[in-house]
Amino acid sequence: MTEGADRGGNALYGPQPDVSGAAGYPDAPPRVGFFTDTSVCIGCKACEVACKEWNAIPEDGLELTGMSYDNTRGLGADTWRHVAFVEQSGPSGGPEVTGDVDVFAAASRLGTAAEPAGPVPLVSPDGRTELRWLMSSDVCKHCTHAGCLDVCPTGSLFRTEFGTVVVQQDICNGCGYCVPACPYGVIGRREGDGRVWKCTLCYDRLGVGLEPACAKSCPTDSIQFGPLDELRERARERVARLHAAGVTDARLYGESPEDGVGGAGAFFLLLDEPEVYGLPPDPQVTTRDLPAMWRHAAAAAVTLAALVLGSCARRKR
C-alpha cells in the first residue's frame, strides 16, 4: 500500500480506501459500480440498446463483423457497452457428462443458484465436438486509479462523488492523451468530432437515485449495480456456489484492490481466462511508475550537472 493510501489521501497506485474522499468529496455516498456475472449473460444486447438510447449515442454500424454474432467489435466512443460473443469448441467449465442425458432435467436446473444459466457445457454423448458460447457485457472499469484521468491536461475527466470517472465533453480538447493511458482500451475519440467519449455509469441517473440504464434493462441480472463493497461480497459468494456446482473455471476479474489499477469499479465473474474475453490479464495504471521515473530523472540531472562542473574544473586547470 502506498503512503497516500495509508493516510487516506490520494495515491498513484495501490489500494485507495476512500476514492471519493481523495477526490475532494468528504461526505460522499458509498462508492458504487457494476458486477457483471457472465455466467448468466444470454447475449441479448439489451444493455447496449438501453445505453445508446439513454445517452443518445450514435449508431456504430449495423453489419455483422464476421467475428461471431457481433456488430460492435469492442468499446469505443460510440459503444459504451459491448456484448462479447466468444465461441469455444468442446465442453469445459463444468462436470463432464456422458451417456444418456435427460435434457428436460438439465433445462430445469438452468438459472438456479447452483448452476449458471448462460454458457453451460454442451453435452455430447456420442463424442462429437460441440460448441459453447461465452457471453459478457464489457464496459468502462471506472478504475480506482484511472490512467485516463491522471493524464488529462484540461480537467475534462473528473472523479464523481460516487467514485466513478466521467468525461466533460465541453472541456475536452481532443488531445487524445487518455486513449493510450487506459490499460483496457476503453476510451476512444469520436470520428468527425475529435473529442473522447466513454461510459459515465449514467451519472445523471445516479444523481436522482436511479440505477444505470444498462443494469435496469438486463433481463437476467447479469449486470448488477450497487455499493461496490456489497457487490464484491455478493460476487465472492456466487463464485463459491459455482465452484460447489463443479464450475471450477469461475473466477473474479477486477475486484481486488491489490491489482494494477487498485481495483475496478466495474468487475466481472468470468468462466475462462481474461484473454478469452479480450481483457488484459494484468492491467496496470500508467502512473504507477511515476515516482521511479522522477527519481531516475533527478539522478540523471545530478549526474549531468556533475559532469559539466567536472569538465569546467578541468578546463580552468
Side-chain angles (χ1 to χ4, degrees):
M1 183 179 292
T2 64
E3 180 183 355
D6 282 331
R7 64 172 181 264
N10 203 356
L12 294 176
Y13 63 94
Q16 180 74 67
D18 185 8
V19 174
S20 299
Y25 301 98
D27 300 318
R31 185 183 180 187
V32 297
F34 289 127
F35 163 44
T36 301
D37 183 352
T38 68
S39 71
V40 294
C41 178
I42 60 175
C44 67
K45 287 184 174 279
C47 54
E48 283 193 24
V49 175
C51 178
K52 281 186 174 292
E53 287 185 344
W54 180 262
N55 295 289
I57 304 173
E59 63 91 8
D60 50 354
L62 301 177
E63 297 179 358
L64 294 179
T65 62
M67 300 179 294
S68 181
Y69 293 100
D70 186 6
N71 66 319
T72 48
R73 292 184 177 86
L75 297 174
D78 294 334
T79 303
W80 299 0
R81 269 280 179 188
H82 170 244
V83 178
F85 290 77
V86 181
E87 300 177 14
Q88 290 186 329
S89 297
S92 60
E96 184 177 353
V97 181
T98 58
D100 294 333
V101 177
D102 186 344
V103 294
F104 295 103
S108 68
R109 293 195 299 269
L110 298 182
T112 64
E115 295 192 22
V120 295
L122 296 181
V123 177
S124 180
D126 58 359
R128 295 193 311 271
T129 300
E130 300 291 352
L131 179 73
R132 79 163 180 171
W133 292 98
L134 295 178
M135 299 173 182
S136 174
S137 180
D138 198 8
V139 71
C140 172
K141 312 308 180 290
H142 294 275
C143 307
T144 297
H145 301 293
C148 59
L149 187 155
D150 291 337
V151 303
C152 180
T154 66
S156 171
L157 283 125
F158 74 100
R159 180 83 62 180
T160 74
E161 65 271 30
F162 301 103
T164 59
V165 179
V166 174
V167 182
Q168 301 173 94
Q169 276 76 31
D170 57 335
I171 301 177
C172 177
N173 66 358
C175 68
Y177 292 167
C178 55
V179 177
C182 175
Y184 299 99
V186 166
I187 197 164
R189 299 169 70 182
R190 183 167 292 174
E191 186 175 351
D193 183 313
R195 297 174 296 172
V196 298
W197 303 74
K198 75 171 192 68
C199 163
T200 67
L201 217 147
C202 285
Y203 184 42
D204 52 346
R205 293 175 63 92
L206 299 186
V208 293
L210 299 176
E211 66 178 322
C214 57
K216 184 72 173 178
S217 68
C218 182
T220 64
D221 281 338
S222 172
I223 302 172
Q224 301 177 34
F225 165 78
L228 202 55
D229 290 339
E230 295 180 13
L231 291 177
R232 285 170 175 165
E233 182 61 29
R234 190 184 308 168
R236 286 189 285 266
E237 293 175 358
R238 175 62 174 162
V239 170
R241 291 200 301 270
L242 289 175
H243 285 178
V247 187
T248 57
D249 287 340
R251 83 285 305 273
L252 295 180
Y253 175 84
E255 93 295 348
S256 174
E258 301 291 339
D259 69 12
V261 297
F267 64 98
F268 303 80
L269 186 156
L270 305 179
L271 297 179
D272 209 323
E273 297 294 336
E275 300 94 316
V276 173
Y277 296 84
L279 297 168
D282 185 25
Q284 299 288 338
V285 64
T286 50
T287 53
R288 179 194 62 171
D289 297 323
L290 275 180
M293 291 169 61
W294 282 114
R295 286 195 297 269
H296 292 317
V302 170
T303 302
L304 181 60
L307 290 173
V308 171
L309 291 175
S311 177
C312 293
R314 285 194 296 271
R315 287 182 178 180
K316 289 181 180 180
R317 292 177 184 176

